């Protein structure tokens, strides 16, 4: 059993929880994910790690309550327990194993969309801890859906907020913001790490391919075990079949077959579920629970 | 009674069981078991024991069954096997103990498997449990994986007085016994849970949700957690696919995924949240026991099911009993048939599978006749679901994070057959992680051999 030690409502329906899981906290790195199973009859829900505290043995997760499983998860309170909490799963961010001199030379831009800000945060924080200053775009539909802005400002050199309706920061989506930075403000980047709804990652990659900037994305397809056993999370990367859980979740975004990945994320969605999703426009763990996920 | 014939075992009617997940075989009652036990010739030089990977004293326990001393029969079996209720159900007895039975020369061999099952079930129903040893060795062993290899190794080491901790990556212990083999062949809450409890009763600790190689490495188990030896029984978990077009379409699953959803995650039980596709017509590609399990699961979930296999019935790797049960239940076998492409509709879902007919040519390296394509024999099977059951390979999670642990070209951990010793000191391995996908009982045999190896290493 894994105790919830902190619960914060970050934005409408978006929650952060700290969970006591010493083994996970001890071995995890930015880029990796965990699987949460709330109770005996629940699903195994993959969620990217948002932060960790090795001394206290806690791991932070962030989720948006849209599907039945995440809505149920939102009802858990501090002091209550998840039945299962497994991880870290997947590979750590490639940045972590890069030679420090090379990494420090690189100009890096993180692009975080919606709840995707949560998995971006530990990477930016880690970069800061090794003395690398990076830029970060946080995008969402409106100001109420922007999360972790203050936290990000403490660890990134520059934070650019972009909202579709202009209610916070730049008016436009993350792609408009990238264009603004690169084409109008004369910024140049060697690498972009984009994490968010699958549709956002697809369009960021189309743009960055044009701009000639290498782009890493973090895929979060439907999964069952998360250890390579079931193959539910397979996707096509550069013409090869890869398992997001063991080969990823991060891949070269210019090689990912996003259209196939989007179709696969619909596998267990019902008509009603999709309708509800459209209404709530959730962009949480895009597909893991089989109900909530990426856009149509 | 005809002494040449075995006492028949009661089963659920095929038409009834095709619609439920209850166990197919109902097993012997005490009278039936005693009658069947009386057929055993109690050979002085029993060949059956030589056919058993864990060398159970078969005539020894059958003698007790015949006399009606079931508790004593259980004690005899328990000396050799930690999982008799499992083995009595899923061992391929027809090619092991029963294949060597003298009775089988002229008539049916003794139903050793069904007798073993009866004894184990009787012990469970009567609350008989193994007891932990009084003498402790004061040494710690870590066992990675709680499948048949791990449970056996842990059980044997615990009986010798070691402090054993099993680390399981999933949320339930049992490995393939819980995620792979379906409820109707191996009931989880009664049979598997009891066998796991019996291993716990010996003093073994089980920690679930620990992915060794990710959160904690083998070196950390030695250096930080004070373990004196490690056994790796992590199985062969990675599914294989064919590499044909359309394989990533919605509605194409590995048998592992399909079975895990139904078995471990209990998708067949509506009170669980797990989704599973509701199929009208399913093709299961492959001919092994896992293919039969997937096919019979899909049938029970309401689909018409075709097993598509590229060789003929004779070469089907599945146990004869499984094929027989599958046919009785109405599974259709499309033999000498090989898929070449999965056809996909505009929404990304499976709509059919292009296949070719095959014929058998010259024997290949495996000794089986090689299937060759019949020219111009292409046809399309209309389907909405395809389940790929083509075998599995070991997960590199542990081998890739453990320095000094060597693997072969199939990613299998290199270990001595006699004692499970690997290329890294203090680390032993066995089961599918070493052999690639095989059987429950072979994994148990390897777990047993490794327990002996570890005991010698630590003594």
């Amino acid at each position: 059993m894994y105790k919830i030690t902190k619960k914060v409502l970050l934005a409408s329906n978006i929650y952060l929880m700290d969970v006591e899981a010493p083994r996970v906290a001890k071995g995890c790195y930015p880029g990796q994910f965990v699987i949460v199973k709330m109770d005996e009859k629940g699903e195994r829900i993959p969620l990217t790690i948002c932060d960790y505290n090795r001394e206290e043995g806690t791991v932070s997760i962030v989720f948006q309550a849209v599907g039945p499983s995440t809505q149920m998860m939102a009802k858990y309170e501090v002091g209550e327990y998840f039945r299962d909490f497994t991880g870290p799963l997947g590979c750590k961010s490639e940045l972590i194993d890069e030679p420090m001199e090379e990494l420090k030379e690189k100009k890096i831009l993180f692009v975080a969309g919606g709840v995707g800000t949560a998995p971006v945060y530990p990477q930016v924080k880690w970069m800061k801890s090794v003395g690398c200053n990076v830029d970060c775009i946080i995008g969402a539909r409106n100001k109420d859906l922007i999360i972790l802005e203050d936290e990000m400002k403490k660890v990134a050199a520059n934070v650019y907020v972009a909202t579709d309706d202009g209610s916070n920061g730049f008016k436009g989506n993350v792609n408009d913001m990238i264009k603004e930075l690169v084409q109008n403000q004369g910024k140049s980047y060697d690498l972009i790490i984009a994490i968010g709804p699958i549709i956002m990652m697809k369009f960021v990659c189309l743009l960055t391919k044009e701009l000639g900037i290498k782009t890493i994305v973090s895929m979060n397809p439907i999964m069952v075990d998360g250890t390579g056993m079931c193959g539910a999370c397979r996707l096509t990367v550069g013409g090869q079949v890869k398992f997001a859980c063991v080969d990823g979740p991060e891949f070269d975004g210019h090689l990912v077959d996003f259209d196939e990945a989007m179709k696969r994320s619909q596998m267990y969605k019902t008509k009603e579920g999709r309708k509800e999703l459209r209404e709530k426009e959730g962009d949480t763990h895009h597909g893991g629970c089989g109900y909530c996920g990426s856009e149509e | 009674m005809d002494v040449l014939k075995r006492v028949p075992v009661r089963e659920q009617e095929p038409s009834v069981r095709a619609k439920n997940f209850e166990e197919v075989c109902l097993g012997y009652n005490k009278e039936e078991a005693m009658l069947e036990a009386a057929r055993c010739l109690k050979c002085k030089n029993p060949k059956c024991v030589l056919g058993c990977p864990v060398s159970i004293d078969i005539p020894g326990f059958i003698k007790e069954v015949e006399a009606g001393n079931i508790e004593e029969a259980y004690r005899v079996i328990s000396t050799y096997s930690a999982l008799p209720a499992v083995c009595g159900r899923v061992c391929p007895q027809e090619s092991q103990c029963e294949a060597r039975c003298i009775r089988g020369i002229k008539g049916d061999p003794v139903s050793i498997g069904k007798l073993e099952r009866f004894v184990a079930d009787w012990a469970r129903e009567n609350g008989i449990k193994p007891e932990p040893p009084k003498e402790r060795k004061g040494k710690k062993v870590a066992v990675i994986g709680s499948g048949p290899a791990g449970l056996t190794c842990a059980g044997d080491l615990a009986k010798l007085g070691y402090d054993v901790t099993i680390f399981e990556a999933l949320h339930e212990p049992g490995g393939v016994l819980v995620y792979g083999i379906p409820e109707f062949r191996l009931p989880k809450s009664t049979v598997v849970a009891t066998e796991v409890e019996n291993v716990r009763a010996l003093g073994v600790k089980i920690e679930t949700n620990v992915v060794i190689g990710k959160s904690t490495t083998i070196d950390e188990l030695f250096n930080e957690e004070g373990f004196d030896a490690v056994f790796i029984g992590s199985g062969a978990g990675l599914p294989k696919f064919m590499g044909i077009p359309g394989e990533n379409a919605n509605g194409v699953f590995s048998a592992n995924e399909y079975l895990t959803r139904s078995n471990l995650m209990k998708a067949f039980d509506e009170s669980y949240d797990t989704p599973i596709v509701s199929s009208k017509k399913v093709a299961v590609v492959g001919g092994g026991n896992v293919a039969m399990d997937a096919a019979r699961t899909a049938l029970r979930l309401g689909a018409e099911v075709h097993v598509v296999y590229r060789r003929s019935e004779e070469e089907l790797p599945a146990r004869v009993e499984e094929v027989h049960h599958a046919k009785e239940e109405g599974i259709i076998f499309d033999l000498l048939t090989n898929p070449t492409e999965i056809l996909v509709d505009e929404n990304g879902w499976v709509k059919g599978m292009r296949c070719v007919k095959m014929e058998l040519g010259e024997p290949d390296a495996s000794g089986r006749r090689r299937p060759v394509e019949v020219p111009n024999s292409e046809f399309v099977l209309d389907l909405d679901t395809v389940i790929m059951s083509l075998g599995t390979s070991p997960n590199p999670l542990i081998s890739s994070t453990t320095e000094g642990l060597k693997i072969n070209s199939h990613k299998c951990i290199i270990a001595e057959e006699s004692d499970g010793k690997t290329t890294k000191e203090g680390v032993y391995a066995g089961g599918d992680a070493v052999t690639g996908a095989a059987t429950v009982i072979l994994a148990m045999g390897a777990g047993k051999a490794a327990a002996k190896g570890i005991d010698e290493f630590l003594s």
Side-chain angles (χ1 to χ4, degrees):
Chain A
M1 301 287 274
Y2 302 82
K3 192 177 181 179
I4 300 162
T5 59
K6 183 174 153 187
K7 179 183 179 186
V8 183
L9 182 65
L10 295 179
S12 165
N13 267 333
I14 303 177
Y15 296 87
L16 178 144
M17 282 181 182
D18 284 358
V19 180
E20 244 174 36
R23 277 191 193 276
V24 184
K26 179 170 157 279
C28 70
Y29 285 94
Q32 294 183 303
F33 65 96
V34 294
I35 281 185
V36 183
K37 191 169 179 290
M38 286 176 278
D39 54 22
E40 193 202 331
K41 298 189 174 183
E43 292 188 81
R44 291 172 65 91
I45 304 171
L47 291 166
T48 319
I49 292 168
C50 172
D51 205 354
Y52 47 88
N53 186 323
R54 301 208 201 282
E55 286 72 43
E56 288 176 14
T58 57
V59 176
S60 311
I61 51 170
V62 169
F63 61 93
Q64 187 167 22
V66 278
S69 288
T70 41
Q71 280 168 1
M72 166 93 88
M73 195 181 276
K75 294 195 179 119
Y76 278 70
E77 299 297 340
V78 170
E80 292 189 296
Y81 294 80
F82 291 131
R83 183 184 189 273
D84 302 286
F85 193 93
T86 313
L89 299 166
C91 304
K92 53 190 168 191
S93 158
E94 273 179 33
L95 300 172
I96 286 160
D97 288 330
E98 251 185 67
M100 223 21 99
E101 303 76 49
E102 285 174 36
L103 192 61
K104 285 189 170 153
E105 290 298 306
K106 267 190 187 156
K107 290 189 288 290
I108 300 176
L109 172 68
F110 284 86
V111 179
V115 186
T117 313
V120 165
Y121 174 69
Q123 301 207 19
V124 175
K125 185 179 170 188
W126 184 86
M127 294 296 284
K128 167 90 173 172
S129 74
V130 296
C132 297
N133 293 313
V134 301
D135 288 354
C136 180
I137 297 173
I138 303 178
R141 268 196 345 277
N142 59 52
K143 65 177 185 350
D144 297 332
L145 295 169
I146 296 285
I147 58 167
L148 302 172
E149 186 183 344
D150 294 339
E151 287 81 355
M152 201 70 89
K153 280 181 173 158
K154 287 181 196 144
V155 291
N158 300 293
V159 174
Y160 306 96
V161 173
T163 48
D164 294 357
D165 62 358
S167 55
N168 183 353
F170 178 84
K171 183 174 191 299
N173 62 27
V174 293
N175 261 9
D176 300 329
M177 188 75 232
I178 295 172
K179 280 189 233 163
E180 165 70 17
L181 290 177
V182 174
Q183 291 170 341
N184 297 339
Q185 298 190 17
K187 289 261 189 182
S188 76
Y189 295 104
D190 305 309
L191 177 68
I192 288 178
I193 291 120
I195 307 178
I198 192 165
I199 192 92
M200 178 205 97
M201 295 192 285
K202 175 184 166 173
F203 283 105
V204 167
C205 287
L206 286 173
L207 172 67
T208 58
K209 204 167 187 178
E210 242 171 66
L211 298 172
I213 308 171
K214 185 182 173 183
T215 302
I216 301 290
V217 295
S218 177
M219 303 300 286
N220 198 343
I222 294 172
M223 288 185 185
V224 184
D225 62 292
T227 64
M229 211 178 78
C230 78
C233 66
R234 64 193 189 277
L235 39 103
T236 306
V237 182
Q240 306 254 320
V241 175
K242 298 279 180 191
F243 288 4
C245 69
V246 287
D247 301 319
E250 299 195 345
F251 294 100
D252 181 339
H254 294 158
L255 299 178
V256 171
D257 182 341
F258 285 105
D259 293 338
E260 178 188 271
M262 274 188 268
K263 280 182 183 149
R264 287 186 63 78
S265 73
Q266 305 287 324
M267 188 116 50
Y268 294 101
K269 283 183 194 155
T270 58
K271 256 188 195 156
E272 304 75 53
R274 283 201 292 268
K275 184 163 166 278
E276 196 186 329
L277 250 189
R278 263 197 306 277
E279 281 160 10
K280 292 189 177 158
E281 282 182 285
D283 51 9
T284 176
H285 58 278
H286 20 119
C289 74
Y291 293 107
C292 32
S294 61
E295 278 86 325
E296 286 283 273
Chain B
M1 177 189 142
D2 184 353
V3 77
L4 294 182
K5 291 244 181 296
R6 49 175 57 173
V7 175
V9 68
R10 288 163 295 118
E11 289 178 348
Q12 269 200 80
E13 282 298 315
S15 60
V16 174
R17 69 180 195 242
K19 295 186 182 68
N20 68 42
F21 278 83
E22 309 289 314
E23 198 172 9
V24 168
C25 175
L26 303 172
Y28 285 148
N29 60 28
K30 192 170 173 184
E31 289 69 42
E32 290 164 338
M34 287 170 70
L35 265 178
E36 180 64 17
R39 294 182 60 232
C40 175
L41 300 171
K42 323 286 176 321
C43 305
K44 281 232 168 59
N45 180 14
K47 299 275 189 269
C48 52
V49 179
L50 300 175
C52 175
V54 296
S55 310
I56 292 175
D57 176 7
I58 293 166
F61 95 78
I62 292 184
K63 190 174 79 194
E64 300 298 341
V65 175
E66 186 180 356
N69 303 326
I70 314 302
E71 184 168 349
E72 193 46 41
Y74 178 72
R75 301 270 170 234
V76 174
I77 298 177
S78 295
T79 318
Y80 304 88
S81 169
L83 311 170
V86 171
C87 290
R89 287 171 166 83
V90 304
C91 265
Q93 290 100 8
E94 67 280 5
S95 58
Q96 295 178 355
C97 52
E98 293 177 14
R100 313 261 188 128
C101 177
I102 301 300
R103 273 276 180 223
I105 297 170
K106 220 169 112 189
D108 293 340
V110 175
S111 280
I112 300 168
K114 299 288 184 281
L115 288 173
E116 181 185 26
R117 171 191 158 139
F118 164 72
V119 171
D121 287 356
W122 185 93
R124 179 181 70 246
E125 283 153 18
N126 290 277
I128 313 282
K129 285 211 170 291
E131 278 165 29
K134 299 213 167 56
E135 264 176 58
R136 311 300 304 171
K137 298 262 190 190
K139 284 187 177 153
K140 284 170 73 179
V141 182
V143 169
I144 303 168
S146 63
L151 287 173
T152 302
C153 186
D156 274 20
L157 287 167
K159 280 184 211 163
L160 292 169
Y162 290 97
D163 290 326
V164 184
T165 303
I166 299 181
F167 296 100
E168 167 56 47
L170 291 171
H171 57 270
E172 292 291 344
V176 74
L177 307 176
V178 297
Y179 76 73
I181 303 175
E183 186 74 20
F184 54 84
R185 275 219 292 141
L186 188 62
K188 310 295 162 227
S189 61
T190 48
V191 176
V192 180
T194 308
E195 303 270 51
V196 170
E197 278 318 306
N198 286 347
V199 172
R200 276 205 179 103
L202 290 167
V204 173
K205 293 188 267 306
I206 303 180
E207 205 181 320
T208 52
N209 298 319
V210 183
V211 187
I212 298 292
K214 283 288 181 190
S215 65
T216 306
T217 63
I218 286 185
D219 287 320
E220 286 167 346
L221 290 176
F222 282 116
N223 301 333
E224 294 172 20
E225 302 197 23
F227 285 98
D228 301 291
V230 172
F231 172 75
I232 306 169
S234 51
L238 300 193
K240 292 179 184 159
F241 289 91
M242 287 188 84
I244 57 174
E247 225 169 355
N248 283 1
N250 288 1
V252 183
F253 304 95
S254 71
N256 260 9
E257 177 183 355
Y258 197 76
L259 289 170
T260 299
R261 282 184 185 279
S262 180
N263 301 335
L264 173 72
M265 304 301 294
K266 310 246 186 290
F268 70 87
D269 178 340
E270 283 182 3
S271 71
Y272 283 75
D273 296 339
T274 315
I276 196 159
V277 289
S278 130
S279 311
K280 290 197 179 67
K281 194 167 164 186
V282 177
V284 177
V285 181
N289 287 319
V290 176
M292 297 307 127
D293 286 345
R296 296 171 68 198
T297 297
L299 181 98
R300 282 163 172 75
L301 292 170
E304 172 187 323
V305 185
H306 293 244
V307 167
V308 175
Y309 179 59
R310 63 196 183 119
R311 302 179 198 251
S312 72
E313 176 151 2
E314 210 173 300
E315 289 84 16
L316 276 172
R319 290 183 63 196
V320 174
E321 181 179 330
E322 302 308 322
V323 176
H324 170 72
H325 279 152
K327 282 186 174 168
E328 274 187 344
E329 290 165 10
I331 306 273
I332 300 153
F333 283 76
D334 295 336
L335 301 166
L336 290 164
T337 302
N338 202 30
T340 55
E341 183 186 358
I342 290 160
L343 306 172
V344 187
D345 73 12
E346 65 281 4
N347 296 319
W349 282 88
V350 173
K351 63 173 181 184
M353 187 163 76
R354 200 184 299 284
C355 300
V356 287
K357 283 287 185 194
M358 308 295 278
E359 59 190 6
L360 293 179
E362 294 300 309
D364 63 12
S366 72
R368 296 178 299 180
R369 291 173 64 195
R370 184 195 303 274
V372 277
E373 201 177 312
V374 176
N376 306 318
S377 63
E378 199 175 276
F379 68 101
V380 170
L381 262 175
D382 290 331
L383 302 159
D384 55 16
T385 305
V386 177
I387 301 171
M388 291 293 178
S389 179
L390 309 158
T392 52
S393 59
N395 196 322
L397 220 61
I398 290 171
S399 52
S400 65
T401 53
T402 310
E403 218 168 297
L405 188 69
K406 290 210 173 110
I407 53 173
N408 66 20
S409 59
H410 299 289
K411 293 187 179 154
C412 297
I413 296 169
I414 296 172
E416 299 284 340
E417 206 182 319
S418 59
D419 62 0
K421 194 185 281 181
T422 68
T423 52
K424 188 177 172 79
E425 174 149 319
V427 178
Y428 293 73
D432 286 4
V434 170
T435 56
T439 61
V440 168
I441 188 69
L442 283 174
M444 290 178 58
K448 206 170 187 55
K452 209 162 142 257
I454 290 171
D455 181 42
E456 279 161 18
F457 169 70
L458 294 178
S459 299

